[in-house]
Amino acid sequence: MTPVCQQCNGTGWVTILNEHEVECVRRCPCWLAKQRRWAEDVPQEFQAARLSNYKALPGNREAMKAARAFLAGARDLVLVGGVGAGKTRLACSILNEAFDAGRFGWFLRVPLMLKSLQPCGDDNDERSRLMKFEHRLMVEPMMCLDDLGAERERATDFTRRTLLQVYEQRHDRGARTIWTSNKTIDEIAAMQDDDRLASRLAGWADVVVMSCEDQRLAG
Ligand SMILES: Nc1ncnc2c1ncn2[C@@H]1O[C@H](COP(=O)(O)OP(=O)(O)OP(=O)(O)O)[C@@H](O)[C@H]1O
Ligand SMILES: [Mg+2]
Ligand SMILES: [Zn+2]
């Protein structure tokens, strides 16, 4: 059973003092969270993104097909393409479509993931935060790991090991992953100076290259 919200006692309403020190009734954050209409941590810009409002362009035709296949099937997905090609938006559209269908998804950028996996203290709270975060990375049934290869010019040992471990653990548990990257699989292998992650990406995922021009600059 989920615990009753302590702010509103489960009523969904809270009383706050507004800027004029007047008491006002407002929706409780717990109620707002339940009304969410997008997958978790999807950037604000893409909360309304769906496959139905994703503009079809010659450069994203294959990627849209692969997005539908991902939602229906079992293989993972790697969206590769230049800046502004629409990779992150498409990945968020997939997560949101899954969310609409009652499935759970999580959006996370790779550089932030790597940063969050570095311990920043030795106390119990920090150890517990790290364990929870690591566990979630392994078991979240569907997630987008955005911007693989944006970490650094050359991968460090930590990056190499961590990315491989996260992907292997997820795969072992049948968790589904959408990766986006500005780098091709070959470039990822070169950057890592190691073929292991590249081999798993190529073997476990549909790798689709998006050739659209920068849609941020499109009118
Ligand atoms: N097919 C599309 N339909 C509608 N909007 C799009 C489409 N493709 C891209 N856009 C818009 O173009 C902008 C860039 O898209 P997005 O952030 O997904 O690119 P990206 O490939 O992830 O780029 P980067 O490599 O810089 O992260 C966003 O504002 C997005 O909404
Ligand atoms: Mg992006
Ligand atoms: Zn509440």
Side-chain angles (χ1 to χ4, degrees), residues 100-131:
D100 293 346
R103 290 150 79 189
F104 199 84
W106 184 25
F107 177 90
L108 184 63
R109 295 189 202 277
V110 171
L112 179 64
M113 174 188 87
L114 292 168
K115 184 165 171 255
S116 307
L117 283 170
Q118 303 221 356
C120 57
D122 199 22
D123 51 278
N124 282 343
D125 284 356
E126 174 59 8
R127 271 196 293 273
S128 145
R129 177 200 70 81
L130 204 56
M131 268 172 61

Side-chain angles (χ1 to χ4, degrees), residues 154-188:
R154 295 195 72 76
T156 60
D157 257 2
F158 171 80
T159 305
R160 209 174 4 243
R161 235 179 324 110
T162 305
L163 286 169
L164 189 66
Q165 207 174 44
V166 167
Y167 196 33
E168 278 195 324
Q169 295 278 345
R170 290 186 56 71
H171 181 77
D172 289 349
R173 289 168 169 77
R176 319 274 319 279
T177 312
I178 307 164
W179 299 86
T180 81
S181 184
N182 285 140
K183 308 260 188 312
T184 64
I185 298 291
D186 283 349
E187 286 167 343
I188 289 166

Side-chain angles (χ1 to χ4, degrees), residues 15-94:
T15 306
I16 58 149
L17 285 180
N18 73 6
E19 64 273 26
H20 308 296
E21 304 281 304
V22 176
E23 279 196 352
C24 300
V25 176
R26 290 273 187 279
R27 281 297 186 184
C28 180
C30 79
W31 185 88
L32 291 171
K34 275 190 225 132
Q35 305 308 306
R36 196 157 45 82
R37 288 288 172 265
W38 49 87
E40 194 167 350
D41 292 339
V42 160
Q44 197 174 359
E45 184 185 2
F46 300 129
Q47 288 171 356
R50 296 293 185 278
L51 292 180
S52 53
N53 55 33
Y54 194 77
K55 199 164 61 185
L57 298 166
N60 64 30
R61 192 175 300 137
E62 283 306 307
M64 285 185 78
K65 227 162 70 184
R68 294 206 167 82
F70 177 88
L71 280 164
R75 279 170 68 76
D76 289 343
L77 181 60
V78 183
L79 300 172
V80 175
V83 166
K87 304 177 295 295
T88 302
R89 181 176 174 130
L90 186 57
C92 290
S93 303
I94 297 171

